[in-house]
Structures are given as C-alpha cells and as structure tokens.
Amino acid sequence: MTNSEARNFMSVQFAALSENESFARVVVAAFVSRLDPTMEELNDLKTVVSEAVTNCIIHGYDSDPAGLVSISASIDVETVHLTIEDQGRGIEDLELAQQPLYTSKPELERSGMGFTIMENFMDEFEVTSEPGRGTSISMKKTIVSKKALYN
C-alpha cells in the first residue's frame, strides 16, 4: 500500500445538543472533501450525518445535553466508512424502528424516515443497538471522483 492509498481516519465527540448537528455535517464534509465528491455525494453524506446525529440526540438521549455523540470516519482509497454512535437509551425493537414512517416520538412531528434515508443514500448501512447501552450506525459510501467522470 502506497502513502496515497494509506487509510486516513478521524474521530470527534461532542455534546448531544441540536446545534452540534451542523458542526457534525461540516466536520464530515471537510474530511471527505479530499476525495473531490460530487455535490450530490457530498449532500448525501451531510444528510445521513444529520439524520444519525439527530437520532442520537432526540432518541438516544431524549435531548439531554449531558450525552455524548461520537463520529468516526475513515477513507480507504475512495470508500468512506462512517460510524455515528451514542451511549444512550438504545432501541427496544430495532426491526420496528427501521420501518419507514415509524417514529417513537410522534409528538415531536418526526417523519420516521431517518433510517430509510440513511440506507438509501449509502452503499452499506447497519444499525446495532442494545437497550440501556446505546446505538451505533455504521455506513459506507464509495465516492466516484469528479475527475474520473470527465475523463
């Protein structure tokens, strides 16, 4: 493996505050920018980060700012590996939670499409959760360089 193919990685942890959702989007976008993603790819990544971080804050911690949200990301050649997790309440019924339009917080006017959006925007998507211990969302997306599109 040459230096240009070496795995690059980053991790960040922040308070479970809704205003940190935009911070998370910017951090991941900046990290991935060296791959020269298309605007669509970049927007897809920013959207899944928003959905996952919002789920951690609202569902994992019930909007308690004492909670921590963790993001780790790595790049292998053109593939972005992204994990977003909390140590919050966890998900009792993961299969139900992944159904389109299901929300455990209808009073907050949640659409119930977060997991569906993440799954559709990424090449690979997996959720693991344990009640009382938290939830981890792992995703992968291969970035097709804009340079390759024009050659």
Side-chain angles (χ1 to χ4, degrees):
M1 182 180 290
T2 67
N3 283 342
S4 64
E5 294 174 332
R7 185 174 180 159
N8 191 8
F9 65 92
M10 70 90 180
S11 65
V12 64
Q13 195 173 52
F14 50 89
L17 294 166
S18 60
E19 61 257 34
N20 284 336
E21 178 261 328
S22 60
F23 165 75
R25 290 168 55 100
V26 170
V27 167
V28 171
F31 180 71
V32 173
S33 67
R34 77 170 187 86
L35 293 177
D36 197 23
T38 64
M39 285 305 295
E40 182 178 352
E41 290 168 330
L42 194 56
N43 285 333
D44 287 353
L45 284 165
K46 288 164 61 176
T47 298
V48 300
V49 168
S50 290
E51 293 292 339
V53 168
T54 299
N55 278 354
C56 291
I57 293 168
I58 291 175
H59 300 288
Y61 293 118
D62 288 323
S63 300
D64 180 356
L68 292 174
V69 178
S70 300
I71 298 178
S72 59
S74 65
I75 297 172
D76 282 323
V77 187
E78 292 183 333
T79 301
V80 178
H81 304 260
L82 186 61
T83 301
I84 300 173
E85 55 192 350
D86 64 63
Q87 306 300 304
R89 68 184 328 179
I91 301 171
E92 293 287 332
D93 187 339
L94 191 54
E95 187 176 324
L96 177 62
Q98 290 182 280
Q99 295 301 311
L101 304 177
Y102 173 79
T103 180
S104 63
K105 302 226 183 248
E107 70 279 6
L108 297 180
E109 299 182 20
R110 309 302 304 166
S111 71
M113 293 299 291
F115 286 144
T116 301
I117 290 168
M118 288 182 255
E119 185 172 18
N120 286 319
F121 283 13
M122 301 299 282
D123 298 330
E124 293 182 29
F125 168 81
E126 180 182 11
V127 180
T128 56
S129 188
E130 187 176 335
R133 293 189 173 256
T135 301
S136 178
I137 302 167
S138 297
M139 302 171 276
K140 288 184 188 177
K141 185 167 187 76
T142 299
I143 302 298
V144 179
S145 172
K146 284 191 271 188
K147 293 173 191 142
L149 294 175
Y150 298 113
N151 290 331

